[in-house]
Every structure is written in C-alpha cells, then in structure tokens.
Amino acid sequence: MEKVKLIAKSIREYKKESIQTVVIVFFEVILEVLVPFIMALAIDNAIKPKNINLLIIYSVILIFITVFCFIAGIFAGFSASKASCGLAKNLRHDLYHSLQAYSFKNIDKFSTASIVTRLTTDVVNVQNAYIMIIRTLVRAPIMLILALILSFINNWVIGLCYLVVAIFLGFFLLFIAYKAHPYFATGVTTYDSLNSVVQENLQGIRVVKSYVKEDVEVSKFQKISNKIFKLMSSGEKIVAFENPVINFSIYMMMILLSFIGANLIVKEGTMSTGQLSSMISYAWMILSTLILISMIFVNIIIAQTSAERIYEMLTEKPDIVSKENAVKEVKNGDVEFTNVNFAYSSNAEKLVLDNINFKVKSGQTVGIIGGTGSSKSSLISLIARLYDVTNGSVKVGGVDVRDYDIQVLRDSVSVVLQKNTLFSGSIKDNLKWGNPLASDEQMIHACKLAQADSFIQQFPYKYDSYVEQGGANFSGGQKQRLCIARALLKSPKILILDDSTSAVDTKTDSLIRKAFREDIPHVTKFIVAQRVSSIEDADIIIVLNEGKIDDIGTNKELLERNPIYREIYNTQTNKGGKQDA
C-alpha cells in the first residue's frame, strides 16, 4: 500500500482527469446496466401488448442512453489517456530528479541498464496499468455488482446461481494471478540484462567490428532474449487457463439459465419473456466483466513488479547530503588526509585505501602515481566528496569535507575524471558546464591554458562547432583538453586531473603543466598519472601501492630512496637497462 501511495503522488496535476474518468465511467456503467432492464419492460409492457406509444417512449429512452454512453466513452477515453500519460511523465521526472541526487555509491547500487529500464519499460507498465485501473477496473466491479443486484430483483434463484459462478471465477482468477506473478516479475527484471547487453554492444561497437564478433554479440542478445521469452511464455501459459474456464462457465450458465428460465415461464409462469431476455444480457455482462478483470490482472501483475522497482529508486536515500548549517565557503586549497580508510562497501573484506595521511598546502602541485589498481582514482574522489571516507577525515581549507555544503565544495574542486565525457551540443555548450555565465574571452583563455584553442580554431564554426553524443567526433586527446578547459572555467581552488592527459602527446602535456604553473599558481593541483614525465616537476609526489602510501617526496627524493618509483622512472626513461644503439 505504501508503494501505491508513493507512486500515486506523481499523479499531481492530473488528479482532475483521473477523478473525471472515474465519475464518467460510473454513470456510463449505471446507464449501460439499465438497458437490459428497460428492454425487459419494453418487451413485456409494449411489444407483447402492441402498445406503440409506450414502445416509442422506451425507444427514445434507449436511444438517449446509447448516445450518452457513446459520448461518455469518448470523454472517458480522452481523460484516462491524459491522466495515464501525465502519471508517466511525472514518474519519469521524479525518477530522474531522484537520480540526480544520488552519490556514486547510490548509482553503483543500480546498474545503468537497470536505471534505463526503470525510466522506460517500468514506467510504461505502470502507465498501462493505471489507464486500465481508472477506466476498466472501475467499470468492471460496478457493472458486476449492479448486474448481480438486478438479476436478484428479476429472479433470486438465477441471481444466486450468477453469484456462485462469479465467486468461483473470482477465486480462480486470484489463484491464476498468484501462480503467474513470479514468472512475470522475473521477466521484467531480466529486461535489465537485455538492456545491458544492448548498451555494452553499442558503446563497444567499434571493438565488435574490429574483431568481427557480431555473431558473438548476437548470441549474447539471443540468450537473454530467450530467457525473457521462456519466463513470459510460462506466465502466459498459466494465464491461458482463464479463457477456457470462463468460456466453460459462460456456456454452463446459458444452459442453466435456459433450463431454469423455461421452467419458470412455461410451468410456473413466474418469469416473463422480457425478464428472461434481461437475465441473458446480465449473464453476458457478468461474464464479460470477469474476462475484463482477468485481462487487467495480467497487466497489474506485470505492473506490480515495475512499481516495486520504481518505488525502490524513489525511496533510495542519497548517502551523501549537505548537513544543516553547512559551511558555505572554501577558504583555500589546503588539503589534509588524516588516518583515512575507505571501502566501497560497508561489508567489504579488504580496504580500498588504508591509513592514508598527508598534507598539501594551497597552490602546491601533487603528483599521484602507482600501479594499476593501487586506488589512485579512489583517493582523489574523496576530496570532492564523490564518496565518503569509511574512517578518518579529509579536510579542504581546514574544514572536514562532510561539513561543507556539497555544491559549494564541488564548485571549489574541479575534477577531470579518467573517463572524459562530452555532451551533445556545441563546444561552447560543453564548456559552459564549468561556468554558465562565462564570456567568450574566458572560454578562449581556459582553452588556451588547456591547449585546446588551437584545434578549435581549425573547425569551420570554431566554438559553435557541434559535439556528437559522448564526443564521438573528437579524438581522445581533444576530448581530454576540452574537459580540462571546462574544469578551469569553474575557477576552482583545487584542480584534479585523473589521468586526464594520457591521450595527449608529451609536448602538449608539458605545455599544459607550464600554463598551470604560470597562470593558476594559487590553485592546488592533483595530477594522477601513469607517465612520470607528467608529475616529475610536482612539489609532492605520492606513490601508492595496493591502497597504501608507499612513499611521499619530490622526484629527486623518490629516485634516491623508493624502489617502486625508481623502477617506473627507469622503465619509462629507458634508464633501467642498455641504451639502444
């Protein structure tokens, strides 16, 4: 019930259309159920006695009801469509809004494919269920109850038979729903895997083509698709029992009605021809209503799982939030790690970062180097509070990062992540992510510092040139330089480059570092790199090894005393062995 209440909150401005649909359907059903009753009166009071005037009156009433039901059906359809589409729109908005507040840890909990499925397929399932609920599910019980009441009024014996059959079929449908639900629930969840395969294939399509692995990818897709087919078809096989049972019930009721009705008319004379005619109509109404309910059940079964998945996302609490009375100003770029331990999961067996301690003064350049998997990216993620420490503290400007307002902290800490991301739009649009109010002069200056202006000027439309999704029309080095320029436009107190010059040549890398030294000497710079040349002139170099600090010092100091750094240096500068002739 709690899930229903939360999802129902997304109806918001479409409550009017939802209520309007229910009201229209209510009156439509009342009039529709009265039709057989009026027909019975017409047969018994007008047709048999051949009373033409009375027949005309009954005919006018029936025509009025038919026209009203026709118009009501159209309006109910419009209102229901608007209400269900509005619910879907608001649900997507609410889900996407919740997603934006997630921390990296929250996002790690849901796969990208799962989030996409919840925003698309699951919302559509709930939308389809909602339109059936406010229109068909409201209509069906009212029609069932009224048809049973009028059947009892006409003849209590036949009415009782109808009631027994309705109760039997009701329990049967509930049993079918109970048995089919697990299959549909698992099937809906498996769509995550299907989307994951498609997403992975599209992102790596160049690799797939290069290695001619199209058949392998088709096989992966087919395997997941077949799994969904088996689950859904298993559920549908169970649901398929509904129609034969309902049809059997219909024919049995018709036989029973004919037998009892004939006896009541011919032998006892307690039922009129008109009443028998109306009882046949009510029988069809009751059973057609049960068929409608069975169809709704299938949609609701599927929507139930989708609603649970939507509820899960809407109720996910961001684990990183600004505290009350949070600090609103970052004084400088001082950084201090004190006894920092970090793990991505609270029940992880091994720490990602273990007992990290160091201090950096504002304006210093810090190089971070280490082997693959030494947790370099994890360390710098803690500075901008993309993750929270497990133990210890990280201070920026002398204040624990957990005490800052998150927006204030992240506006003061520019991070160029290892994976460079550009968005569809112009180069100017992408740069303005760093500062929406930046002038053209500021953008050009930032791009010159990042060594990006030279290649931008070669494009026909320069800064208005179009960027395809993900920056697919730019090289790796060009994307890196644009991302650095975007970070510089924030005018940060701390700039973090997470292996963000790996795709540029050493000359360009050197020019970027020179520009940093000369133009932003007051900014604290963290440079995570695989190349020694990118960090050898840093004020401090941190050598990480398996999540621990192996040593801290300058390039000269580390060459003298640290074997890990010396080995990396010698390997990259070709000083570890004989020179090539």
Side-chain angles (χ1 to χ4, degrees), residues 8 16 18 59 100-101 129 149 170 177 232 243 265 292 303 323 342 351 361 365 369 383 391 436 438 448 498 531 537:
K16 176 187 171 184
S18 301
S59 299
Q100 300 311 304
I149 290 171
M232 290 300 189
N243 279 341
I265 293 172
L292 277 175
K323 61 168 59 176
F342 173 69
L351 292 170
K361 292 181 180 179
T365 299
I369 198 166
I383 300 172
N391 300 110
K448 284 181 176 178
D498 186 4
R531 291 191 304 222
D537 57 353

Side-chain angles (χ1 to χ4, degrees), residues 213-229:
K213 291 295 182 181
E214 291 89 346
D215 291 342
V216 174
E217 289 298 304
V218 169
S219 176
K220 282 165 60 179
F221 181 86
Q222 194 66 38
K223 184 179 178 181
I224 300 295
S225 184
N226 285 338
K227 184 178 179 180
I228 294 173
F229 166 76

Side-chain angles (χ1 to χ4, degrees), residues 22-37:
V22 172
V23 171
I24 292 173
V25 168
F26 179 77
F27 285 106
E28 179 191 2
V29 173
I30 289 175
L31 290 176
E32 196 172 324
V33 172
L34 285 175
V35 169
F37 189 78

